Amino acid sequence: MNFTLDQRIHDILAVGRPGRETDRAIETVALGVRCADELGDRHFDSCHLLPGLYREPDGIAHHVLDGLGITLQQIDDAVSARDHISTDADFTIDDDIRLVFSNAFAAADEMWHSYIGTEHLMIGVVADGTKSARMLAEFGYTGSQVTKEVHDILGCFGVFKWIPVVLRRLRPRRTM
């Protein structure tokens, strides 16, 4: 049985919680699947998401990677140079995709976002234990550096760091 592009995208998204992804996140997965196709890979892992994240020009992840000085050529070269898993199956999904989505959903929840965008997928691909995190480490970047860059671009934690200060000021002071 030969899987269509839409079936493969659906299967990858089904690893997470389908329905929360933005159109850009879905397009990122589609671009990652196309990257795997171009390389002749029938085994999809987190490294295939990196070129997809970069190739979605309006996504936050693209701006994060670009801001770090990582080029599409570097990513493409690294993905094509690595060892590829051969499989007799038409299409398989690596377990690290589950880790990517798990961390992406956790990041979205932490930011109080009801959706999964490229920024959340970017945080997911740098999670400890993913193949893409190891690839980015070869470029000299850690998961915490990439996550900080996502937060800096979004500016989301600037608000959250002030919440405890505001709450302390609203709480009546005790007098003894």
Side-chain angles (χ1 to χ4, degrees), residues 49-168:
L49 280 178
L50 278 175
L53 287 165
Y54 201 98
R55 284 185 170 98
E56 178 51 53
D58 295 326
I60 300 275
H62 170 86
H63 298 289
V64 168
L65 292 166
D66 190 52
L68 291 170
I70 299 171
T71 66
L72 179 59
Q73 189 63 51
Q74 284 177 297
I75 293 170
D76 285 345
D77 290 347
V79 172
S80 62
R82 69 194 184 97
D83 291 332
H84 300 277
I85 297 171
S86 63
T87 178
D88 291 334
D90 285 335
F91 181 71
T92 59
I93 301 170
D94 198 276
D95 286 338
D96 80 337
I97 291 295
R98 195 171 317 284
L99 188 56
V100 167
F101 277 104
S102 175
N103 281 282
F105 285 107
D109 290 344
E110 185 178 294
M111 292 182 221
W112 298 5
H113 294 169
S114 61
Y115 62 91
I116 300 299
T118 64
E119 62 271 29
H120 308 112
L121 289 176
M122 187 75 244
I123 291 171
V125 299
V126 296
D128 286 338
T130 62
K131 294 173 182 177
S132 50
R134 287 191 294 273
M135 184 178 289
L136 285 170
E138 291 172 13
F139 295 149
Y141 296 101
T142 65
S144 59
Q145 287 173 306
V146 174
T147 300
K148 181 188 177 315
E149 187 73 18
V150 170
H151 293 164
D152 287 350
I153 287 174
L154 290 176
C156 63
F157 284 103
V159 172
F160 292 124
K161 72 181 178 185
W162 293 105
I163 289 175
V165 173
V166 171
L167 291 176
R168 279 196 300 273

Side-chain angles (χ1 to χ4, degrees), residues 10-54:
H10 177 269
D11 289 350
I12 293 165
L13 294 173
V15 169
R17 295 177 214 153
R20 284 183 64 183
E21 299 87 3
T22 63
D23 291 342
R24 285 190 185 119
I26 293 168
E27 181 61 20
T28 292
V29 171
L31 291 166
V33 171
R34 288 186 190 114
C35 171
D37 287 348
E38 290 169 9
L39 294 170
D41 289 345
R42 294 182 302 196
H43 183 76
F44 188 85
D45 64 36
S46 62
C47 291
H48 295 111
L49 280 178
L50 278 175
L53 287 165
Y54 201 98

